[in-house]
Amino acid sequence: MTHHRPHDRAQAVVALGGGHGLHASLTALRMLVDDLTVDELTAVVTVADNGGSSGRLRGEFGVLPPGDLRMALAALCGDDEWGDTWARVLQHRFEGDGEMRGHVVGNLLIVGLWELLAKDGHSHVDALDWVGRLLGAKGRVLPMAMTPMDITAEVRGIGADPDQLVTVRGQVEVATTEGVITTIALDPPDPEVSAAALTAIGEADWAVLGPGSWFTSVIPHLLVPQLRDALVATDARLVVVLNLAEQQGETGGFGPADHLAVLAEHAPDLGVHTVLADRESVGDDADDLLSMVEALGARLVIEDVAMGDGTPRHDPARLAAAYARIMQSTATDSVPG
């Protein structure tokens, strides 16, 4: 492919993930849209949630779970009064003691548009574009697949025999299992993917994967055959952003190198350009991480990208600065072979 624009121009970026991790990454990338480092930003979002407001709406209406899509849209709202207000409205969760308790305004808005526009033959993607226009979003939000997904995991340590593999089904169940996850799979295994998502990946200069719940938000993208093939084939440079800490239930006991090893195991043909890790979270694991990164043919960038308040959260401003430096310092690099 030879689609890349001249390197003195702003870059097209596609970010893949879900939940709070993707929200942080998109908030950072939106800052780069504001300063013209990035001119096209697309989020491709996991749609496997089966809990909370999303799970209830998915079960009642048979639609994609809207929660991760809503969070991505909220992250792309501008910093002005309009964007800030709509981001807060979108994220507002109803209180009270009735049936509405726990539902989120943005989830209801998205599902309402899906139901309304479907009558005119419009798709889930069309409705998300309408929400983005209402919000003045600084990018586009697309679902990972056009049908709701279920995540299944092979888990060791929860059966009578500690070495026995037990199948756990459902995003919430996988995320909270007390066992050790060995592999995950998707049901259905080969879902329909929107043409817009494949085009965004094919035309991107950069693809960003992570941070986020490793087994339920990040790796699922690599299990959708069309998405994985697009990521393998694209000229986009892939940046993998590592989590700041292990996540109980999903990655208990995992160090930074373990996260990458699992990624490589699920998608061995994926070319990684850069691995971004937080300085403090890497700590004494730097040598192991560097060895794993070099084995992948990638380069390791260690920056201060955590909030620094003791919580395992990325600081969007620090993350934006790290992304900008990565894009500028490797503007003329080729992807490692």
Side-chain angles (χ1 to χ4, degrees):
M1 299 181 201
T2 56
H3 66 258
H4 284 311
R5 64 201 77 194
H7 287 296
D8 58 351
R9 291 185 54 189
Q11 306 282 285
V13 180
V14 58
L16 304 98
H20 294 282
L22 182 61
H23 184 278
S25 188
L26 289 175
T27 302
L29 290 166
R30 189 202 71 220
M31 295 176 184
L32 301 188
V33 174
D34 290 339
D35 74 10
L36 305 181
T37 301
V38 171
D39 64 349
E40 292 177 29
L41 177 56
T42 305
V44 179
V45 183
T46 313
V47 284
D49 193 4
N50 66 333
S53 172
S54 270
R56 289 159 64 188
L57 292 168
R58 171 181 174 172
E60 184 169 344
F61 294 97
V63 294
L64 296 175
D68 285 4
L69 297 162
R70 175 204 84 238
M71 289 187 68
L73 284 161
L76 295 177
C77 288
D79 276 333
D80 56 3
E81 184 182 16
W82 179 272
D84 181 61
T85 300
W86 272 110
R88 289 166 55 206
V89 169
L90 215 60
Q91 299 279 56
H92 177 70
R93 191 177 298 272
F94 288 108
E95 299 178 2
D97 299 315
E99 291 184 2
M100 289 297 293
R101 179 180 175 85
H103 271 308
V104 186
V105 172
N107 290 353
L108 301 175
L109 174 64
I110 291 169
V111 173
L113 269 168
W114 281 340
E115 194 171 73
L116 185 68
L117 295 180
K119 296 174 182 176
D120 299 323
H122 292 288
S123 70
H124 280 62
V125 168
D126 296 329
L128 290 169
D129 285 341
W130 274 101
V131 178
R133 289 169 62 186
L134 170 68
L135 305 176
K138 302 290 184 75
R140 193 177 191 193
V141 172
L142 303 169
M144 176 181 79
M146 301 303 289
T147 52
M149 310 293 304
D150 274 320
I151 295 175
T152 63
E154 294 297 303
V155 179
R156 182 178 284 110
I158 60 173
D161 178 354
D163 293 325
Q164 178 187 2
L165 288 177
V166 177
T167 301
V168 175
R169 184 182 184 88
Q171 183 267 331
V172 172
E173 292 76 12
V174 171
T176 57
T177 181
E178 294 182 358
V180 177
I181 299 171
T182 58
T183 60
I184 61 165
L186 296 179
D187 183 17
D190 190 5
E192 179 188 356
V193 175
S194 76
L198 299 177
T199 298
I201 293 170
E203 295 183 351
D205 296 290
W206 295 90
V208 178
L209 184 63
S213 299
W214 215 242
F215 283 107
T216 55
S217 290
V218 177
I219 290 177
H221 290 84
L222 305 176
L223 302 182
V224 176
Q226 285 184 281
L227 280 187
R228 183 179 62 243
D229 290 348
L231 285 166
V232 169
T234 184
D235 282 349
R237 299 165 182 85
L238 177 63
V239 180
V240 175
V241 185
L242 294 180
N243 289 345
L244 300 173
E246 63 183 68
Q247 182 177 347
Q248 286 307 119
E250 284 204 26
T251 54
F254 275 42
D258 297 316
H259 285 78
L260 279 182
V262 169
L263 197 72
E265 185 178 331
H266 282 85
D269 51 352
L270 187 69
V272 179
H273 182 283
T274 300
V275 174
L276 174 61
D278 176 68
R279 194 180 315 279
E280 186 174 347
S281 68
V282 169
D284 296 334
D285 296 324
D287 289 343
D288 286 345
L289 177 59
L290 181 59
S291 296
M292 177 59 68
V293 171
E294 290 177 343
L296 294 176
R299 70 168 197 148
L300 176 62
V301 174
I302 297 179
E303 297 264 9
D304 294 314
V305 291
M307 288 291 288
D309 60 359
T311 64
R313 294 181 300 154
H314 284 83
D315 182 305
R318 289 178 169 183
L319 203 51
Y323 285 156
R325 282 191 288 269
I326 288 169
M327 291 177 192
Q328 290 159 4
S329 67
T330 58
T332 57
D333 286 354
S334 59
V335 179

